Amino acid sequence: MELTTKAYKQTAKKAIADPILQSALAGLQSRLGPATASLYENLPEGPDLRAKAHAYRRKAVDNLDIMLVTLAGKIRENGGEVHFAATAKDAVDICLDIAEKNNVKHVVKGKSMVTEEIGLNRALMDKGIEVNETDLGEYIIQLAGEKPSHIVAPAVHKTRKEVGELFTEKLGTPYTDDPPTLTRDARQALRKKFMAADMGISGCNLACAETGHITTVSNEGNIRMATTLPRVHVAFMGMERIAANLEEHQAILRLMSMGAAAQQIGGYVSYIGGPAAVDHADGPQAFHLVIVDNGRSRILADEEFREMLCCIRCGACLNVCPVYGKIGGHSYGSAYTGPVGAVVTPLLGGINEASHLCQGESLCGACRVACPLNLNLPRMLLALRAKLSEGDPRWNVKPKSRPEKMLFQVWSRINQNRKVYDILLKLGRLIQKIMPSSNHMIRRLPWPFSGWTQSRDMKPLAGKTFMELWKEHQGGRS
């Protein structure tokens, strides 16, 4: 997985200072967050559906071996081919091999986070194969040479003026910032790519073991065209994206649509289980499903993080997260952004390498409330922080900061001794009197606490603690 998480702080500062991005993120969260919550409140089945869906996903994850074998068997019965890829390189090599055997020169893609994770586009282009993203948001950022900034709204950071200028430069269309006209321009450009494509590549929102099909969801119809017009269709799925049967599949798919775009169900839902039959009017001649592990088996083997494999990548947590709402998606430096990215990226790409992500989240719990499956992301964020503090040879984690750990150990000891705590509190009240302050706020703290006041003031210690006030209120009675 390509990571640029080392630049988390610098990219976040830049994002916070960008008024256009701040406006776009505020607009996104004000629309989708409340709308999704309203749908949850009005579920015909009641709130129990979310708990049931969580149980469905957990059952699938706990029985992945059986489910995947069942899925693969049914797809092969229908004439499709199934490939299991242990690593990102294996997955890419499988696709390159399919492309070479079928003399593929032009590829159209539907939005797929797994292919972003494994770096498929670059590998195809390095082989001289033209790749065109067909989701409108993905198409815009591909033209701009950028990365997605949101799981389901990859170009949310772009204004329509910027898109208009981009289309004029890259497509040669007359400048406009009118969204319907821009959409028409993109459609006309992409239609030629669809007709010329030899291979269509898609992701998989959710597979069904019982029926042996994968499901893709979109609101533009682009994935349906990418999977039916080219003569070869290659679908990529993370190995955990599966449900046992249609009843469980449809419940999860509905909740996914609510979490992703505040819809009862996505505009285009396609069920694909193999190549076109001889009596079908359209569809590919060959269908390949690439089931990608790339670190997921390691997560599966760790009970502390296994719940993360239940995630359906709807992006609902991004739409309520106060951190994502300020720093945007590019700060996360990986294909997965927001709270879900802060957990899954370290697990897939390295906990030390992506340490900023779990440490940057607020632990407010909004992500858990917004998640259609109530996944406990805050618990897993804390578990990652614990590994960074203590180290963990199973995950090849080295303690990040021994001085910080020692500091917190000292703080813990102080909190366990009331007399010492009170003495230090009184000392702090004295010291704060000589610190720069204004309007009853401390403007600057000394090192090593100076980071707290680099961009904000700090409220001084109160003259009396709650316990002291309580004793006074009770007239000295404890």
Side-chain angles (χ1 to χ4, degrees):
M1 179 187 286
E2 181 184 357
L3 297 179
T4 57
T5 53
K6 297 292 185 186
Y8 176 84
K9 291 183 179 178
Q10 294 85 349
T11 313
K13 284 181 181 177
K14 189 176 177 182
I16 291 169
D18 184 343
I20 295 175
L21 177 63
Q22 293 302 305
S23 175
L25 294 172
L28 175 86
Q29 293 196 328
S30 66
R31 291 193 309 274
L32 291 182
T36 295
S38 176
L39 288 175
Y40 292 163
E41 291 172 1
N42 294 287
L43 281 168
E45 300 90 342
D48 288 348
L49 182 65
R50 296 171 69 190
K52 286 181 179 178
H54 187 131
Y56 296 156
R57 287 294 295 133
R58 185 58 196 242
K59 181 179 69 175
V61 168
D62 288 343
N63 296 279
L64 265 184
D65 50 349
I66 298 171
M67 299 244 186
L68 291 175
V69 168
T70 304
L71 173 70
K74 290 187 177 296
I75 287 178
R76 286 168 179 149
E77 286 175 10
N78 291 328
E81 294 188 41
V82 181
H83 313 263
F84 287 89
T87 65
K89 183 178 184 304
D90 292 342
V92 169
D93 288 346
I94 289 168
C95 188
L96 293 177
D97 185 55
I98 296 169
E100 184 179 2
K101 288 178 178 174
N102 289 277
N103 194 28
V104 170
K105 301 296 181 188
H106 302 277
V107 166
V108 286
K109 284 183 65 202
K111 187 165 59 182
S112 163
M113 299 310 296
V114 171
T115 60
E116 289 283 344
E117 173 190 323
I118 63 176
L120 182 64
N121 282 14
R122 173 52 56 193
L124 289 168
M125 290 188 287
D126 286 346
K127 292 292 183 182
I129 298 172
E130 181 181 322
V131 181
N132 287 283
E133 296 286 351
T134 61
D135 172 86
L136 180 57
E138 290 277 354
Y139 184 55
I140 290 169
I141 62 169
Q142 185 186 31
L143 289 177
E146 299 176 359
K147 296 286 186 182
S149 63
H150 189 285
I151 288 178
V152 296
V156 66
H157 57 290
K158 290 284 187 191
T159 65
R160 59 186 185 180
K161 179 175 181 292
E162 290 173 327
V163 175
E165 292 170 348
L166 182 68
F167 280 12
T168 298
E169 177 190 350
K170 300 292 184 179
L171 304 181
T173 55
Y175 172 78
T176 177
D177 62 0
D178 177 49
T181 305
L182 290 170
T183 304
R184 188 179 63 237
D185 290 344
R187 184 182 296 123
Q188 289 175 347
L190 284 172
R191 190 59 58 95
K192 297 174 185 174
K193 305 298 183 184
F194 279 121
M195 300 307 293
D198 312 295
M199 176 189 282
I201 295 176
S202 76
C204 163
N205 289 104
L206 195 65
C208 179
E210 178 186 46
T211 59
H213 70 256
I214 66 163
T215 305
T216 63
V217 183
S218 77
N219 283 317
E220 302 165 8
N222 61 301
I223 297 180
R224 187 165 294 176
M225 295 185 74
T227 57
T228 54
L229 286 175
R231 51 191 167 83
V232 180
H233 173 204
V234 181
F236 286 80
M237 69 174 266
M239 70 179 201
E240 78 281 12
R241 304 296 288 277
I242 191 167
N245 54 54
L246 267 185
E247 180 185 358
E248 297 176 7
H249 182 275
Q250 67 87 19
I252 298 166
L253 208 63
R254 282 175 54 213
L255 289 169
M256 181 190 299
S257 297
M258 294 178 191
Q263 295 173 300
Q264 293 288 355
I265 195 71
Y268 293 83
V269 181
S270 300
Y271 297 82
I272 304 166
V278 291
D279 58 342
H280 284 182
D282 52 26
Q285 298 168 16
F287 171 74
H288 298 263
L289 176 62
V290 183
I291 299 174
V292 181
D293 184 327
N294 197 33
R296 290 165 174 79
S297 289
R298 195 180 193 185
I299 302 174
L300 182 67
D302 191 328
E303 183 61 32
E304 198 166 25
F305 296 112
R306 181 177 286 196
E307 186 184 12
M308 195 62 230
L309 293 179
C310 297
C311 175
I312 49 179
R313 304 289 193 275
C314 65
C317 55
L318 280 68
N319 301 332
V320 297
C321 175
V323 177
Y324 175 86
K326 298 305 293 182
I327 68 174
H330 289 155
S331 303
Y332 290 82
S334 85
Y336 304 111
T337 58
V340 57
V343 176
V344 78
T345 299
L347 294 177
L348 293 178
I351 296 174
N352 280 114
E353 289 76 5
S355 60
H356 290 311
L357 305 191
C358 64
Q359 293 181 317
E361 294 299 305
S362 68
L363 301 176
C364 66
C367 52
R368 187 180 186 188
V369 175
C371 174
L373 307 181
N374 283 317
L375 297 186
N376 197 342
L377 291 172
R379 177 189 64 77
M380 289 183 274
L381 287 167
L382 281 172
L384 287 169
R385 291 186 185 185
K387 293 195 183 304
L388 285 169
S389 174
E390 305 293 333
D392 188 334
R394 293 178 305 159
W395 286 89
N396 298 323
V397 183
K398 297 177 181 177
K400 188 175 182 187
S401 173
R402 294 192 185 279
E404 182 178 308
K405 181 181 178 181
M406 292 175 62
L407 186 65
F408 276 102
Q409 285 176 333
V410 171
W411 177 243
S412 175
R413 293 289 181 88
I414 292 171
N415 273 277
Q416 294 173 49
N417 189 317
R418 185 71 209 189
K419 288 183 178 178
V420 174
Y421 181 86
D422 286 340
I423 291 171
L424 292 176
L425 204 58
K426 290 176 181 175
L427 186 62
R429 287 175 187 143
L430 291 174
I431 293 175
Q432 70 182 7
K433 291 180 180 178
I434 61 174
M435 292 181 185
S437 62
S438 64
N439 298 323
H440 307 292
M441 297 290 283
I442 297 173
R443 294 175 54 205
R444 192 165 61 252
L445 288 173
W447 186 89
F449 309 106
S450 53
W452 281 97
T453 48
Q454 280 184 350
S455 58
R456 62 194 163 194
D457 294 336
M458 181 175 177
K459 194 173 180 61
L461 294 171
K464 294 181 180 178
T465 66
F466 173 80
M467 293 298 292
E468 289 168 340
L469 290 171
W470 178 258
K471 286 179 180 178
E472 288 180 6
H473 179 73
Q474 295 294 310
R477 290 178 289 122
S478 60

